[in-house]
C-alpha cells in the first residue's frame, strides 16, 4: 500500500487491508496453540445489540481459531440460544444495573476480571463495543502485545470533535501537540498482561478524577488515549477495523 501510512514513527505497523498475508499469519498462529478472548458489555438498553454482535463476531472474529467470548450483561435472561462455532465459547457474566454499577468503571471491572479469571483462560484479550456489527473477517493480523485502533473520526474533517482531554487536573489530560493518533475505545486489546496494565491504569485515573470532582469528556476513551501516549501500541489497526456509521 502506497496510499496510506503503514508504519508509526516508533516503528509499529499500521494494519490496513492489503498489507498482510492472512494465510501466513494463520499458520504461525496455529503453531502457538493460543486462545483469544473478546470482552463486551450489554447493560441497560444495549442488550438489544447482543444477537447481532454475537452472530457476526462468531462468524468473522478470528474464524477457525479458539475464541472465548465474555459478555457482561444485566439481562442474562434475554439472551436466546446462540449457535456458536465449535472452536468458540460464550460466557455470560451477570452484572447488577444499580448505582454501584455506575460508580464502577468498565476499566475497573475489566481489570478485576483479568486478575481473577481471564489471565488463566486466554493469552490475548480484545475489548469490543456491543453495538459493533462485523461485516468481514478480522483475523490474526490483529494479534500483538498492545493493539489500538485509530479512530475513524481522525481521518475526517470532523476530527476536532474528538479532541484529546484538556481539562486541567484530569488524569486523562494530554498536553497540546503531544498526541500521536486518536484511538477509539470501541476496539482495543493485546496480550492479557498488557491489557491488564492498561485497564488498571485507566481505572485508577478515572478514580482519581472522580475524587477530584472531574470527569473526562470522552470518559474511558480519554484515559485510554492518555495511557497510550506513554505506553505506545506495538500494533495499530486502521480505521477500517472500526468505522463509525455516524460518518
Amino acid at each position: 500500500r502506497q496510499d496510506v501510512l503503514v508504519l508509526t514513527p516508533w516503528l509499529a505497523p499500521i494494519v490496513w487491508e492489503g498489507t498482510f498475508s492472512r494465510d501466513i499469519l494463520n499458520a504461525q498462529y496455529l503453531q502457538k496453540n493460543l486462545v483469544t478472548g473478546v470482552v463486551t458489555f450489554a447493560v441497560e438498553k444495549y442488550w438489544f445489540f447482543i444477537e447481532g454482535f454475537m452472530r457476526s463476531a462468531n462468524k468473522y472474529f478470528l474464524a477457525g481459531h479458539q475464541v472465548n467470548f465474555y459478555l457482561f450483561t444485566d439481562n442474562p435472561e434475554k439472551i436466546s440460544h446462540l449457535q456458536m462455532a465449535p472452536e468458540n465459547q460464550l460466557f455470560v457474566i451477570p452484572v447488577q444495573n444499580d448505582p454501584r454499577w455506575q460508580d464502577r468503571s468498565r476499566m475497573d471491572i475489566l481489570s478485576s476480571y483479568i486478575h481473577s479469571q481471564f489471565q488463566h483462560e486466554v493469552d490475548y484479550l480484545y475489548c469490543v463495543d456491543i453495538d459493533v456489527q462485523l461485516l468481514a473477517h478480522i483475523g490474526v493480523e490483529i494479534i500483538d502485545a498492545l493493539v489500538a485502533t485509530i479512530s475513524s473520526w481522525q481521518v475526517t474533517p470532523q476530527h476536532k470533535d474528538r479532541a484529546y482531554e484538556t481539562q486541567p487536573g484530569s488524569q486523562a489530560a494530554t498536553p497540546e501537540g503531544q498526541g500521536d493518533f486518536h484511538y477509539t475505545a470501541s476496539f482495543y486489546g493485546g496480550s492479557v498482561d498488557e491489557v491488564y496494565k492498561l485497564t488498571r491504569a485507566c481505572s485508577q485515573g478515572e478514580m482519581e478524577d472522580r475524587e477530584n470532582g472531574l470527569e473526562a469528556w470522552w470518559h474511558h476513551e480519554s484515559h485510554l488515549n492518555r495511557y497510550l501516549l506513554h505506553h505506545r501500541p506495538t500494533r495499530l489497526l486502521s480505521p477500517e477495523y472500526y468505522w463509525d456509521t455516524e460518518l
Side-chain angles (χ1 to χ4, degrees), residues 135-221:
L135 303 176
H137 287 286
I138 293 179
V140 298
E141 74 277 0
I142 70 169
I143 299 295
D144 215 320
L146 185 58
V147 181
T149 304
I150 300 172
S151 171
S152 50
W153 287 80
Q154 183 160 322
V155 294
T156 69
Q158 304 100 314
H159 71 277
K160 291 182 180 177
D161 295 342
R162 291 292 181 98
Y164 298 108
E165 181 61 43
T166 58
Q167 279 187 93
S170 172
Q171 296 300 307
T174 299
E176 187 174 355
Q178 287 196 22
D180 301 304
F181 298 89
H182 194 278
Y183 306 109
T184 176
S186 298
F187 186 11
Y188 64 92
S191 71
V192 69
D193 290 340
E194 289 297 330
V195 177
Y196 176 69
K197 294 175 189 175
L198 182 154
T199 54
R200 183 172 171 80
C202 290
S203 171
Q204 290 173 340
E206 289 176 311
M207 189 181 305
E208 287 186 41
D209 274 8
R210 236 179 352 256
E211 290 173 352
N212 294 319
L214 298 171
E215 185 172 8
W217 182 253
W218 293 109
H219 311 292
H220 65 287
E221 182 167 287

Side-chain angles (χ1 to χ4, degrees), residues 12 29 77 88 100 169 192 205 238:
Y29 184 87
E77 69 281 358
N88 293 342
R100 286 174 299 175
V192 69
S238 75

Side-chain angles (χ1 to χ4, degrees), residues 11-31:
L11 304 183
I14 305 175
V15 182
W16 298 81
E17 188 65 36
T19 62
F20 58 88
S21 168
R22 189 165 284 150
D23 290 341
I24 292 173
L25 295 175
N26 275 333
Q28 294 172 342
Y29 184 87
L30 283 169
Q31 290 177 358

Side-chain angles (χ1 to χ4, degrees), residues 85-102:
E87 63 273 12
N88 293 342
Q89 294 188 75
L90 172 61
F91 300 91
V92 178
I93 304 174
V95 291
Q96 294 297 318
N97 181 20
D98 56 24
R100 286 174 299 175
W101 162 264
Q102 304 300 335

Side-chain angles (χ1 to χ4, degrees), residues 19 26 46 67 73 76 103 106 166 169 227 246-247:
T19 62
N26 275 333
Y46 285 92
V67 180
T73 182
D103 289 340
R106 186 183 302 193
T166 58
Y227 180 86
E246 286 185 33
L247 304 174

